[in-house]
């Protein structure tokens, strides 16, 4: 473990300060399901306890869920007459976040301004002293009864509070930090730790009432490579005891070693002291024999007491070589953590800070568990340490991925101790070309880790250069300023050695089964050793392709490529709202686009720009943005080839110096930086995977169409950006800006970032509008002209869509005008009137005949009353004239007569006519 690489979060008192940098740190955040209980006994009677001498706690809950509030003295036995126990709150009672439980009146109260509360949890981030409830123990794990030396005292080897953190021991004793908690419901413990030194064994485990899943593969903490890391473990209800345990091993380990070596002392070169002066120390006598220091992992101790590499197919932790078990293969590389002699592939020298000439001196010295910078000839000399790697052998799946540039990585743990503004440079060279600076650290830096991703399979040189001061002064004042490197680990090295073996895919052959490489996008089943393809829209962790869990799902709005090596956007996107679904196609934006920030000026008034290049989507996930460092090329005479260092990414940045400043014909592009190496997801939400795109950075959207945001991360980790850089591109519909549209930077941050780590862009274009659908147009129907009617489709205004469906063609239909229908109506009315007239005349004429018949009957009835013979028939007799004058006996209307006529016809075809008797009796029907 080592010191922090960033500032501490503000404490509950609102205090925030920068963490000092010392060895082996640990910060804890305990999030429990509820408050925990500690019970202590009372002491002998002395004076009455004051409120400042005790605190309140709850007793354990009984079977009814009740408890008591009791007063517990800070120091048992110091005072007496504590307050009497009172009935406590229910065991299930808890306060909300932002509130605290006032134990005096047992009620929740809001936190004061500048303070915070986790509710049912408690945070420890102030380590001025060991907090209440913690305990620190130490033991010696290497006790040997045969020697007195092995029984050394370990009582002082404990975890030590150092203000903002708590540090573990640095010797070979085992130090244990414990904390007991009783949870009323399930909870979680989270802590932040820094552990870059693999020579220290660090474990965390929990002991409780139930079977906690704390297997050996999970209790051993992994070393941190990018600064501080978080670790979280679920806790069950009941008693939980948390253990943090560290044990350090050094080159002077007391484990018995059969081989001895002779110790020899010599003066450090260059010798800058006089041994003959008064008070000078003498060189110790050589010849004493001591146990040989261990070899580095992957090497073994030969009979000549030298460290030799293990043969391929075997591995070693620095002692004996062992063959890799069946179904595994060696993970080759170089891991240097014991510095007894300088490795054969490393060299050291001194470069003058005045004339930049090599002096043929030793720049770095080995010191057992680290290598440190030598004194040099002057304080401004560069102490040079170089590691050369002939090439790399990455897994086959990595080689098949053309977009995943990582073929290996180098990780080293270092420390600088300086009294002035010293500098430590880390540089990388490819194929013996000039080294290019990668990272620089100024001033004192606590023990920390740094990782560099190697993206090219070539002969690589890695150089560390330490300079105490940039000023040349007579004499040497800062010889105590020093840089130390504790470990260097390079992976996938060609002809490297292995410290462990990893599972591999098995291939049947005549000689049995042997290791083979899985195809790209396939993971290895640990049990069967067979290869299985990752599911759709997942990517494979190429350097740990073991088990189905190695296939990681892609983020929202993205898909995986064919070999499951990266997630990308195919330029299509869909999002639903309460009223409709928006479909997008950003294909018109898949080409790269550039943007220059506002001018900036150096301290000497020289102008420069930050130039950005972006590629949004498509291209099967291929990174299309390229930023180049052409400073070296501009200084090379014409006709000679130069070396440019391009950066390929989704988004990259370079510093552009205009020609009028440099004096060259073309501008200078330098310091290229990748801002986006991985697409995290595409969504309309403002936050994704811890990255936020604040809407207030840009002018607000006014069309009612949500912005589509692309979220990216970069692999580069720097001192100020411990989690790497992130980039968001906010794509906004702008109908008045034709493709590709325009890019803009936040108004408050002219360089695209307000903190140097998170970059934000706004891309406005008509191509960012949703695809047109039937909801985006409406129909206009014209009037009927000359028997023709037209239906025209037009876009709704303002038009807020692009592409998609086209407007339907104009539709023409045959129609009838109003004049035509008026003529039809008049003609139909006239015909109807004529028909009614004809029918009226017909029925009127027929009714006259009936009236005549009726009058005849009446006359016959009258003759009967005058004793005339009865009529044999009511019909008209032969010879009677049907044209005789009619005699009307009733005064019915014409329509009444028609009604009577139509309703009185009998089934035999005769008409029924009502008659009146001469006596005025009832009518009779004939």
């Amino acid at each position: 473990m080592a010191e922090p690489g960033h500032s501490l979060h503000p404490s509950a008192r609102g205090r925030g300060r920068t963490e000092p940098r010392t060895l082996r740190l640990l910060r804890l955040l305990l999030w429990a399901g509820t408050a925990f209980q500690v019970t202590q006994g009372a002491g002998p009677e002395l004076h009455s306890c004051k409120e400042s001498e005790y605190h309140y706690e709850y007793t354990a809950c009984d079977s009814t869920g009740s408890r008591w509030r009791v007063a517990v003295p800070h120091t048992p036995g110091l005072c007496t007459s504590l307050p009497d126990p009172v009935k406590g709150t229910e065991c299930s009672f808890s306060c909300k976040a932002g509130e605290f439980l006032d134990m005096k009146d047992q009620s929740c109260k809001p936190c004061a301004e500048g303070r915070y509360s986790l509710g049912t949890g408690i945070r420890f981030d102030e380590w001025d002293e060991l907090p209440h409830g913690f305990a620190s123990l130490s033991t010696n794990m290497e006790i040997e009864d045969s020697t007195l030396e092995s029984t050394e005292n370990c009582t002082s080897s404990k975890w030590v509070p150092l203000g903002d953190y708590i540090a573990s021991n640095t010797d070979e004793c085992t130090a244990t930090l414990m904390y007991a908690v009783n949870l009323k419901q399930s909870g979680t413990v989270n802590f932040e730790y820094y552990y870059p030194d693999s020579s220290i064994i660090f474990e965390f485990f929990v002991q409780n009432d139930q079977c906690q899943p704390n297997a050996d593969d999970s209790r051993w903490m992994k070393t941190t490579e990018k600064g501080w890391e978080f670790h979280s473990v679920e806790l069950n209800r009941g008693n939980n005891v948390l253990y943090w345990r560290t044990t350090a091993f050094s080159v002077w380990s007391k484990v018995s070693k059969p081989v001895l070596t002779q110790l020899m002392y010599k003066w450090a070169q260059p010798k800058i002291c006089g041994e003959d002066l008064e008070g000078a120390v003498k060189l110790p006598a050589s010849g004493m024999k001591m146990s040989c220091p261990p070899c580095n992992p992957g090497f073994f101790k030969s009979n000549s007491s030298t460290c030799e590499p293990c043969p391929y197919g075997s591995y070693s932790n620095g002692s004996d070589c062992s063959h890799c078990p069946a179904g595994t293969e060696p993970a080759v590389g170089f891991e240097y953590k014991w510095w007894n002699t300088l490795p054969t592939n490393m060299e050291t020298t001194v470069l003058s800070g005045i004339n930049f000439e090599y002096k043929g001196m030793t720049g770095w010295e080995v010191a057992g568990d680290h290598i440190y910078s030598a004194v040099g000839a002057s304080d401004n000399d560069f102490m040079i340490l170089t590691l050369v790697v002939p090439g790399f052998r990455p897994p086959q799946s990595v080689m098949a991925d053309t977009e995943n540039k990582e073929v290996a990585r180098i990780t080293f743990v270092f420390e600088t101790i300086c009294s002035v503004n010293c500098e430590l440079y880390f540089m990388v060279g490819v194929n013996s070309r000039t080294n290019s600076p990668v990272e620089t650290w100024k001033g004192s830096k606590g023990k920390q880790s740094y990782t560099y991703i190697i993206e090219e399979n070539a002969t690589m040189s890695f150089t560390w250069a330490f300079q105490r001061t940039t000023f040349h002064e007579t004499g040497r004042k800062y010889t105590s300023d020093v840089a130390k490197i504790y470990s260097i680990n390079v992976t996938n090295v060609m002809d490297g050695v292995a410290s462990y073996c990893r599972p591999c895919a098995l291939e049947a052959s005549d000689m049995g089964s042997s290791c083979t490489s899985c195809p790209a996008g396939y993971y290895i089943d640990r049990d069967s050793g067979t290869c299985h393809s990752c599911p759709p829209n997942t990517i494979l962790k190429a350097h740990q392709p073991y088990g189905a869990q190695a296939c990681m799902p892609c983020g929202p709005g993205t898909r995986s490529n064919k070999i499951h090596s990266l997630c990308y956007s195919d330029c299509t996107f869909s999002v639903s709202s309460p009223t409709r679904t928006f479909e997008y196609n950003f294909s018109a934006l898949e080409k790269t686009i550039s943007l220059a920030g506002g001018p900036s000026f150096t301290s000497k008034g020289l102008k420069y720009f930050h130039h950005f290049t972006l590629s949004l989507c498509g291209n099967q996930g291929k990174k299309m943005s390229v930023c180049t460092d052409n400073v070296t090329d501009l200084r090379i005479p014409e006709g000679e080839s130069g070396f440019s260092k391009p950066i390929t990414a989704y988004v990259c940045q370079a510093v552009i110096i205009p020609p009028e400043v440099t004096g060259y014909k073309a501008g200078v592009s330098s310091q290229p930086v990748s801002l986006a190496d991985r697409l995290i997801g595409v969504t309309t939400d403002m936050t994704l995977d811890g990255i936020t795109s604040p809407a207030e950075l840009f002018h607000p959207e006014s069309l009612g169409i949500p912005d589509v945001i692309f979220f990216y991360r970069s692999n580069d980790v720097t001192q100020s950006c411990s989690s790497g850089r992130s980039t968001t591109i906010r794509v906004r519909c702008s109908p008045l800006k034709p493709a590709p549209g325009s890019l803009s930077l936040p108004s408050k941050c002219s360089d695209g970032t307000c903190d140097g780590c998170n970059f934000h862009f706004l891309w406005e274009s008509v191509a960012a509008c949703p695809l047109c659908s039937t909801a985006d147009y409406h129909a206009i129907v014209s009037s009927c002209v000359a028997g023709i009617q037209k239906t025209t489709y037009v876009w709704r205004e303002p038009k807020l869509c692009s592409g998609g469906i086209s407007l339907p063609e104009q539709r023409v239909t045959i129609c009838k005008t109003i004049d035509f229908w008026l003529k039809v109506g008049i003609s139909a009315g006239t015909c109807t009137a004529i028909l009614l007239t004809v029918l009226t005349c017909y029925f009127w004429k027929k009714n006259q005949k009936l009236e005549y018949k009726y009058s005849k009957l009446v006359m016959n009835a009258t003759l009967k009353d005058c004793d005339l013979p009865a009529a044999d028939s009511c019909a008209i007799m032969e010879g009677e004239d049907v044209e005789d004058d009619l005699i009307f006996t009733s005064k019915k209307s014409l329509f009444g007569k028609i009604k009577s006529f139509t309703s009185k016809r009998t089934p035999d075809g005769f008409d029924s006519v009502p008659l009146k008797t001469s006596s005025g009796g009832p009518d009779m029907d004939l």
Side-chain angles (χ1 to χ4, degrees), residues 703-851:
L703 300 178
I705 298 178
D707 294 341
V708 180
I709 308 175
F710 288 70
F711 292 84
Y712 302 88
R713 283 195 186 278
S714 170
N715 296 328
D716 293 341
V717 177
T718 63
Q719 300 177 63
S720 57
C721 306
S722 58
S723 299
R725 299 181 179 92
S726 68
T727 298
T728 64
I729 303 178
R730 185 179 287 264
V731 183
R732 177 174 296 175
C733 173
S734 182
L736 301 181
K737 295 183 178 181
S742 63
L743 275 176
S744 59
L745 300 172
S747 57
K748 298 180 181 179
C749 312
S750 59
D751 289 333
T753 177
C754 300
D755 56 10
C757 299
N758 303 293
F759 292 78
H760 307 281
F761 302 90
L762 175 63
W763 194 339
E764 298 177 281
S765 172
V766 65
C769 295
L771 296 177
C772 295
S773 65
T774 55
D776 294 304
Y777 66 82
H778 62 96
I780 298 178
V781 181
S782 67
S783 59
C784 186
V785 178
I788 296 177
Q789 188 174 55
K790 298 179 180 180
T791 302
T792 306
Y793 298 91
V794 296
W795 299 112
R796 299 183 186 276
E797 294 295 338
K799 183 184 178 184
L800 303 179
C801 64
S802 175
I805 65 173
S806 302
L807 283 176
E809 297 290 338
Q810 186 183 61
R811 188 160 53 93
V812 178
T813 57
I814 299 175
C815 63
K816 304 298 182 180
T817 62
I818 296 178
D819 294 340
F820 171 80
W821 292 112
L822 181 60
K823 293 177 181 178
V824 171
I826 293 174
S827 300
T830 303
C831 293
T832 304
I834 295 173
L835 178 61
L836 291 176
T837 302
V838 172
L839 290 175
T840 301
C841 295
Y842 168 77
F843 287 115
W844 177 78
K845 183 66 175 177
K846 191 169 185 178
N847 190 61
Q848 281 185 324
K849 293 180 179 181
L850 292 176
E851 288 290 343

Side-chain angles (χ1 to χ4, degrees), residues 49-261:
C49 292
K50 302 176 183 179
E51 287 192 7
S52 61
E53 295 178 330
Y54 65 87
H55 62 277
Y56 291 109
E57 292 185 0
Y58 284 117
T59 63
C61 296
D62 57 23
S63 58
T64 63
S66 301
R67 56 185 174 180
W68 291 82
R69 188 203 69 179
V70 297
V72 178
H74 297 317
T75 305
L78 183 63
C79 61
T80 185
S81 300
L82 294 169
D84 295 332
V86 298
K87 185 75 172 180
T89 59
E90 295 294 329
C91 292
S92 59
F93 176 81
S94 63
C95 294
K96 299 182 297 184
E99 298 180 345
F100 71 98
L101 178 62
D102 189 339
M103 292 293 289
K104 190 172 183 179
D105 57 10
Q106 302 190 78
S107 63
C108 295
K109 294 183 179 179
C111 295
E113 185 176 355
R115 294 172 177 258
Y116 68 91
S117 168
L118 301 177
T120 58
I122 185 171
R123 183 196 303 269
F124 297 98
D125 55 9
E126 294 183 1
W127 300 92
D128 299 318
E129 60 182 2
L130 199 63
H132 177 72
F134 282 87
S136 180
L137 304 176
S138 60
T139 56
N140 193 337
M141 301 297 289
E142 299 182 353
I143 294 180
E144 296 179 4
D145 297 334
S146 59
T147 60
L148 179 63
E149 181 184 4
S150 63
T151 60
E152 62 178 286
N153 193 351
C154 286
T155 55
S156 60
S157 300
K158 298 181 179 181
W159 290 78
V160 181
L162 296 176
D164 292 336
Y165 52 87
I166 185 169
S168 67
N169 61 318
T170 59
D171 54 23
E172 305 206 6
C173 297
T174 297
T176 304
L177 181 68
M178 298 186 301
Y179 186 79
V181 58
N182 187 298
L183 304 183
K184 303 305 176 187
Q185 60 189 38
S186 299
T188 306
V189 58
N190 302 288
F191 61 91
E192 189 178 15
Y193 72 100
Y194 188 52
Y195 171 45
D197 193 351
S198 59
S199 64
I200 299 175
I201 296 177
F202 179 31
E203 53 183 324
F204 171 75
F205 57 95
V206 180
Q207 290 183 354
N208 46 26
D209 296 338
Q210 56 278 343
C211 183
Q212 182 76 16
N214 232 358
D216 289 341
D217 59 347
S218 62
R219 70 185 292 172
W220 307 106
M221 303 299 295
K222 297 180 179 180
T223 56
T224 57
E225 297 180 355
K226 298 181 180 180
W228 287 82
E229 293 185 6
F230 281 94
H231 187 69
S232 179
V233 174
E234 297 292 331
L235 301 178
N236 293 337
R237 177 181 178 181
N239 294 319
N240 292 267
V241 183
L242 315 179
Y243 292 87
W244 294 266
R245 178 182 294 169
T246 60
T247 304
F249 294 92
S250 70
V251 294
W252 315 119
S253 175
K254 299 173 185 59
V255 177
S256 59
K257 301 179 178 64
V259 181
L260 300 179
T261 184

Side-chain angles (χ1 to χ4, degrees), residues 267-278:
W267 295 111
Q269 297 297 324
K271 185 179 179 183
I272 58 175
C273 60
E275 57 183 308
D276 298 332
L277 300 178
E278 184 179 356

Side-chain angles (χ1 to χ4, degrees), residues 546-560:
Y546 310 116
Q549 64 272 15
C551 301
M552 308 299 294
C554 290
T558 65
R559 58 186 302 178
S560 63

Side-chain angles (χ1 to χ4, degrees), residues 442-457:
K442 296 182 179 181
S444 294
K445 299 296 180 183
K447 193 175 182 182
Q448 58 186 272
S449 173
Y450 178 79
T451 299
Y452 174 76
I453 305 299
I454 302 168
E455 299 182 346
E456 186 175 355
N457 192 354

